[in-house]
Amino acid sequence: MIGDLQRRNIDAAFNTLDVTGDDHIDQDDFRVRADRLRTLRPDMDDRLANDLQKTFDAWWEVIRRAADSDGDGRVTREEFAAAIDAGLEENPAYIDQMERVAQVIAEAADLDGDGMLDRSELNLIYKAFDVDVAFSEETFRRLDRDGDGLFSTTEWAQTVRDMFSSTDRATAAAVAFGPVP
């Protein structure tokens, strides 16, 4: 059963994926997000650009197969939430795919390729998903536990996993989409 924090994060994630705001997501929404990540980093090499597109296409397929209950090629908010809930309970690979997407997103934002993200690189992720960059401040503070101005791409991937699976309000995932009510 999805808790309040998870539901809030699932709704916010759905909103970021629903590029057109038409209350459903489809393959085009995922392609727009992948394209947006590419344009935020004009020097992206072909290998990473291809990996980004393939990963987003694979993510869409996982979501479509798990959530498109009526087979119309679109996923509603309710279908999305139900699929995540079922995936958390029955299919860990469903959440693993989201973590893989997060890893590729972090790699795309990691401008210097050091496996670490700084504040400006985290802001690139927020901009690519049209999420208010102001929300990144507290997320960054919680991720940068040692205060060195960096956190690993692996920590970012875990944060994305936590957005869907954790009910702990002390995690970075709890504030990734804004203050916790």
Side-chain angles (χ1 to χ4, degrees), residues 9 32 36 43 46 50 55 59-60 62 70 88 102 116 132 140 146 160 176:
N9 284 342
V32 166
R36 183 74 191 271
D43 66 334
D46 289 341
N50 289 334
T55 302
W59 188 22
W60 163 247
V62 165
D70 61 5
L88 289 170
M116 304 295 284
D132 188 342
F140 187 84
D146 64 2
V160 171

Side-chain angles (χ1 to χ4, degrees), residues 55-67:
T55 302
F56 269 72
D57 285 345
W59 188 22
W60 163 247
E61 279 305 308
V62 165
I63 289 174
R64 186 191 60 75
R65 282 193 308 270

Side-chain angles (χ1 to χ4, degrees), residues 148-162:
D148 68 352
L150 301 168
F151 61 89
S152 73
T153 57
T154 303
E155 288 173 297
W156 171 251
Q158 181 61 49
T159 297
V160 171
R161 175 184 279 279
D162 288 349

Side-chain angles (χ1 to χ4, degrees), residues 6-181:
Q6 291 168 292
R7 181 60 181 187
R8 177 182 156 259
N9 284 342
I10 289 167
D11 281 343
F14 183 89
N15 291 341
T16 66
L17 293 172
D18 182 12
V19 175
T20 58
D22 58 3
D23 214 32
H24 74 267
I25 54 177
D26 58 32
Q27 188 170 27
D28 288 341
D29 290 308
F30 284 72
R31 289 187 174 152
V32 166
R33 287 298 173 213
D35 288 344
R36 183 74 191 271
L37 280 161
R38 282 199 305 270
T39 62
L40 288 175
R41 185 174 171 184
D43 66 334
M44 186 179 293
D45 64 45
D46 289 341
R47 182 208 55 83
L48 181 54
N50 289 334
D51 193 24
L52 190 65
Q53 189 61 59
K54 286 178 187 176
T55 302
F56 269 72
D57 285 345
W59 188 22
W60 163 247
E61 279 305 308
V62 165
I63 289 174
R64 186 191 60 75
R65 282 193 308 270
D68 185 12
S69 59
D70 61 5
D72 68 352
R74 304 176 336 162
V75 173
T76 65
R77 180 181 310 275
E78 292 75 25
E79 289 172 325
F80 184 70
I84 289 175
D85 191 23
L88 289 170
E89 296 293 322
E90 303 160 14
N91 184 6
Y94 185 75
I95 302 301
D96 290 345
Q97 180 63 36
M98 289 181 200
E99 191 171 352
R100 170 68 184 125
V101 170
Q103 191 64 44
V104 170
I105 290 169
E107 187 178 342
D110 182 14
L111 300 179
D112 57 9
D114 65 353
M116 304 295 284
L117 296 176
D118 63 24
R119 181 172 273 111
S120 66
E121 291 167 331
L122 178 61
N123 287 347
L124 284 177
I125 294 171
Y126 275 71
K127 287 177 185 174
F129 283 91
D130 297 319
V131 176
D132 188 342
V133 174
F135 297 157
S136 73
E137 288 303 311
E138 180 64 12
T139 305
F140 187 84
R141 188 188 69 71
R142 290 184 184 199
L143 282 165
D144 181 20
R145 293 182 188 110
D146 64 2
D148 68 352
L150 301 168
F151 61 89
S152 73
T153 57
T154 303
E155 288 173 297
W156 171 251
Q158 181 61 49
T159 297
V160 171
R161 175 184 279 279
D162 288 349
M163 283 180 201
F164 301 101
S165 61
S166 179
T167 58
D168 182 357
R169 293 177 179 271
T171 68
V175 296
F177 292 111
V180 178

